[in-house]
Amino acid sequence: MARLDPHSCVDSEQRAPRHLRLELAVDFEARRLAGEAALVLAEGHAGALDLDTKGLTIHEARTETGAPVPFVLGHEDPVLGRRLRLEPPRGAAEVRLRYETSPDALGLQWLAPEQTAGGRHPFLFSQCQPIHARTLAPVPDSARVRLTYEAAITVPEALTAVMSAGPAGTRPGPRPHTRTFLFEMPQPIPTYLLALAVGRLESRDLSSRSRVWAEPETVDAAAHELAGTEDMLGKAEGLFGPYEWDRYDMLVLPPAFPYGGMENPRMTFLTPTLLAGDRSLVDVVVHELAHSWTGNLVTNATMDHFWLNEGFTVWAERRILEALRGEEVAILGWAIGEAALRSSLERFGADSPLTRLRTDLAGMDPDDAFSAIPYEKGSRLVALLERAVGRLRWDRFMREYVGRFRFTSITTEEFLAFLDQTLPGASATVAARRWLYEPGIPENAPAFRSPSLESLTALAQGWPQGRRPSPAEAARWSPSELLVYLQRLPRELPGESCRWLDESLKLTGRSNYEILVEWLTIAGGSDYPPAFARLREVLTRVGRMKFLRPLYQAMGRHPRTRALAREIFAEASPRYHALSRRVAASLIEKYVDAS
Ligand code: BES
Ligand code: ZN
């Protein structure tokens, strides 16, 4: 037995299945998927096959000829779930498993109609990264394994299903008032990129190879916000080579979606909180699009190498942003990331092993290790390498890297070996091994400077001495500039300062969620009552963990906001994604008071 992934029971001595065929019915009442998962075995498969499962009920296992396949479920690990060991007879080509999911599958969120824009139909979406595909289907749930897949998903007639795959038509469902959506995914993907969403959906074309899906109530706003997608695709292709996934479609989800975006191939999932109306938050789209190369083509082998996905993608995101909107804008992106990096370093402590890029998460829930470290420390290492060898050579390296490892999964060490072979000396010049294997941020971190960043920082640092922007000056700031300014203000301010900020900068009414949440973090942490109604509204409506975390944390500072946070949580949390609920609950548990 050889387990190369601490979060999967995939055995590297067994031959991994090649293809997955799903035939599932979506039952909104029971909150279950039920049906069949067929695993097409590797040619000449012999011996046992271990798969990951979590919360699945397996009813039956047979080969393609109907011969029973003996199976046994191992002991339950609270994080990893249960190993499913199958013993297919020699010569079997497929194992077909009849099964159903559990109503509290972590990879699925079932929304009541009132959690949608339309308010009349339920909604379902999946989020499989990092290790939740096993709650949807019995699969080899390690990023080391890639599969092609096809699916037939039966849903209530009024609803539409989309997946991280190409659409392959529809047919009448097996029961009245149902419809079956067919999908085919010809490119092999790791299971964390399996994705499904079902709801009342419409689409708008953005270009010949891109469209956006959303509820009818939001689809036009979404199309407006995302109109620049084809330009982004063009810039990304210029940097990293051809787009390999045919289409780039997107789905804008209801606000309960726990992330900003998820790079599901052919169908990026997006939070509606990026619909600011002025295209100011499309860096999330640039990021998910960039994963089409870094992450989806070249994939981290396990969550211990997650920085390979996210560090490279953040770096790529800022290069694409620079190509689209200039260097000043990209530098503001680095500055905004810097604040996130600092708060993660504070959360873990700068010498925590979780601040290494190459981690060792055995025995740990990867969702608990999630932070800005792989994103912002990782992207800084890539930027450092870029500066060390020069942009021309680094860009050539990136194309070679993607070309060499496309459709494979690699470790940090495989990346390093390729780097040392392709650009000898570069890793030593930047002390890459310190960046990768040691905690904290090395002193040779690249600096990002621009006149606008410098003046915003100076202005914010002068707050205690009474420096204020003139309203006319502030009105000229871009949304990113305002965000940078707010991030650099003190975390707690007296009431009259809060009032000055809100009145001069019109913060509470903002529709840009990054700005709004930054402001509410200050206002909540300052016990400033005029912001409480908006705080309640955001915490009740939005499930994005990036926003819940700072808000619930800031509200822990004062007795009145602690009480408010507890009250809001009690009301809102039944509708949060299970992971969002966990994050908020753990912050509230840490509140220090007697009440
Ligand atoms: N792949 C991530 C989201 C993710 C990571 C989900 C790990 C589950 C486990 C996605 O690409 C991402 O990084 N999203 C960010 C966007 C941001 C960096 C622009 C987010 O959700 O905030
Ligand atoms: Zn990402």
Side-chain angles (χ1 to χ4, degrees):
M1 184 188 81
R3 288 202 185 165
L4 299 177
D5 183 338
H7 299 111
S8 168
C9 66
V10 162
D11 183 337
S12 64
E13 280 159 25
Q14 301 171 359
R15 306 198 41 209
R18 293 292 135 144
H19 182 76
L20 170 67
R21 198 172 58 242
L22 293 171
E23 239 168 86
L24 296 170
V26 178
D27 182 342
F28 279 96
E29 264 92 75
R31 301 196 158 190
R32 286 181 195 281
L33 307 178
E36 187 179 281
L39 289 139
V40 177
L41 303 178
E43 192 109 359
H45 181 98
L49 176 64
D50 292 344
L51 299 175
D52 294 295
T53 74
K54 193 172 176 186
L56 302 182
T57 306
I58 310 286
H59 299 298
E60 187 180 67
R62 296 189 178 275
T63 68
E64 71 283 4
T65 62
V69 174
F71 67 90
V72 26
L73 279 165
H75 83 279
E76 168 104 41
D77 179 281
V79 174
L80 306 179
R82 304 174 77 177
R83 182 185 74 190
L84 172 63
R85 172 159 290 176
L86 300 160
E87 306 274 2
R90 185 169 282 280
E94 280 183 18
V95 179
R96 297 179 180 175
L97 296 150
R98 219 161 48 70
Y99 77 101
E100 62 190 89
T101 61
S102 141
D104 47 40
L106 270 181
L108 296 171
Q109 188 174 5
W110 302 85
L111 302 182
E114 58 276 15
Q115 291 178 274
T116 67
R120 286 188 298 125
H121 297 275
F123 201 105
L124 164 69
F125 65 81
S126 69
Q127 170 56 47
C128 288
Q129 196 182 19
I131 54 166
H132 307 305
R134 65 193 65 180
T135 69
L136 269 65
V139 287
D141 199 11
S142 167
R144 288 180 165 277
V145 176
R146 302 179 89 91
L147 296 159
T148 53
Y149 82 89
E150 68 198 284
I153 309 293
T154 298
V155 305
E157 210 165 41
L159 305 185
T160 296
V162 297
M163 291 192 84
S164 55
T170 62
R171 63 183 186 220
R175 272 170 297 130
H177 309 298
T178 65
R179 192 147 58 121
T180 301
F181 287 80
L182 306 174
F183 301 93
E184 270 171 31
M185 186 55 179
Q187 288 103 345
I189 57 163
T191 48
Y192 79 82
L193 293 175
L194 264 177
L196 166 69
V198 181
R200 183 105 179 104
L201 297 174
E202 261 182 32
S203 71
R204 297 283 183 272
D205 282 340
L206 302 170
S207 72
S208 61
R209 54 175 167 168
S210 178
R211 70 169 56 104
V212 59
W213 290 90
E215 286 186 73
E217 292 75 9
T218 31
V219 72
D220 288 314
H224 171 81
E225 207 80 29
L226 304 173
T229 303
E230 182 60 39
D231 286 348
M232 299 171 189
L233 260 166
K235 289 290 189 261
E237 287 189 301
L239 283 166
F240 308 120
Y243 180 74
E244 302 240 28
W245 307 87
D246 302 338
R247 295 193 54 88
Y248 184 74
D249 295 338
M250 291 163 282
L251 169 67
V252 176
L253 291 134
F257 186 57
Y259 291 95
M262 177 64 211
E263 66 272 25
N264 299 315
R266 291 173 182 239
M267 188 63 74
T268 280
F269 282 16
L270 295 170
T271 171
T273 61
L274 64 80
L275 306 180
D278 60 2
R279 300 180 184 156
S280 55
L281 297 179
V282 292
D283 55 327
V284 177
V285 182
V286 176
H287 177 94
E288 305 316 332
L289 174 65
H291 272 307
S292 305
W293 290 267
T294 48
N296 296 2
L297 276 185
V298 183
T299 305
N300 55 211
T302 73
M303 284 306 285
D304 283 330
H305 309 278
F306 184 54
W307 83 276
L308 287 173
N309 274 20
E310 298 301 342
F312 273 90
T313 299
V314 168
W315 171 82
E317 167 199 333
R318 292 179 187 150
R319 280 296 303 275
I320 297 168
L321 215 57
E322 182 188 318
L324 286 167
R325 292 165 52 200
E327 199 184 353
E328 284 260 331
V329 173
I331 288 178
L332 288 173
W334 286 102
I336 291 165
E338 176 101 43
L341 178 59
R342 261 195 245 119
S343 95
S344 292
L345 287 168
E346 238 166 71
R347 177 173 143 216
F348 293 141
D351 49 11
S352 157
L354 291 178
T355 68
R356 296 178 188 149
L357 286 177
R358 177 9 173 138
T359 52
D360 181 6
L361 301 178
M364 210 182 150
D365 184 336
D367 280 314
D368 293 339
F370 184 84
S371 79
I373 304 287
Y375 291 77
E376 296 297 339
K377 183 182 179 185
S379 58
R380 277 161 178 73
L381 170 57
V382 179
L384 196 58
L385 284 162
E386 175 190 3
R387 288 184 185 184
V389 305
R391 196 167 256 199
L392 217 65
R393 287 169 74 204
W394 185 253
D395 286 1
R396 192 180 330 125
F397 172 86
M398 282 303 301
R399 283 188 293 269
E400 286 169 9
Y401 172 65
V402 170
R404 165 71 180 80
F405 294 112
R406 57 194 276 285
F407 293 112
T408 69
S409 306
I410 66 167
T411 61
T412 301
E413 291 65 40
E414 286 168 287
F415 159 71
L416 258 185
F418 184 72
L419 175 66
D420 286 339
Q421 169 201 329
T422 313
L423 292 170
S427 74
T429 307
V430 305
R433 283 166 180 79
R434 280 187 51 208
W435 279 80
L436 295 169
Y437 299 111
E438 287 174 31
I441 307 297
E443 322 66 83
N444 67 342
F448 298 93
R449 289 213 186 82
S450 77
S452 127
L453 179 57
E454 230 107 292
S455 80
L456 289 165
T457 306
L459 191 58
Q461 283 170 347
W463 182 277
Q465 290 77 49
R467 283 194 68 187
R468 304 284 181 272
S470 78
E473 177 183 14
R476 282 193 303 271
W477 289 344
S478 69
S480 300
E481 288 174 315
L482 175 55
L483 179 58
V484 164
Y485 176 70
L486 292 176
Q487 282 183 332
R488 280 152 183 72
L489 287 179
R491 298 294 83 190
E492 192 164 348
L493 292 169
E496 73 268 21
S497 296
C498 286
R499 183 159 359 95
W500 188 90
L501 274 173
D502 198 13
E503 279 170 12
S504 316
L505 306 176
K506 306 272 174 294
L507 297 170
T508 300
R510 293 269 167 170
S511 56
N512 178 312
Y513 265 83
E514 296 285 346
I515 291 171
L516 177 63
V517 169
E518 193 62 34
W519 156 241
L520 291 176
T521 304
I522 296 173
S526 306
D527 193 25
Y528 180 63
F532 289 177
R534 189 74 160 131
L535 258 172
R536 178 190 297 274
E537 188 184 312
V538 170
L539 290 173
T540 305
R541 203 175 93 84
V542 177
R544 187 175 173 187
M545 292 187 281
K546 179 183 176 188
F547 296 153
L548 298 184
R549 192 188 290 282
L551 292 176
Y552 275 112
Q553 184 165 346
M555 290 173 84
R557 245 187 249 132
H558 296 273
R560 183 163 53 175
T561 50
R562 284 199 287 272
L564 179 65
R566 290 192 174 108
E567 182 200 319
I568 295 172
F569 179 75
E571 191 210 310
S573 67
R575 291 182 303 275
Y576 285 169
H577 190 285
L579 295 175
S580 309
R581 195 180 311 130
R582 209 164 83 189
V583 163
S586 85
L587 288 166
I588 287 178
E589 273 160 30
K590 284 192 208 107
Y591 286 178
V592 276
D593 67 358
S595 68

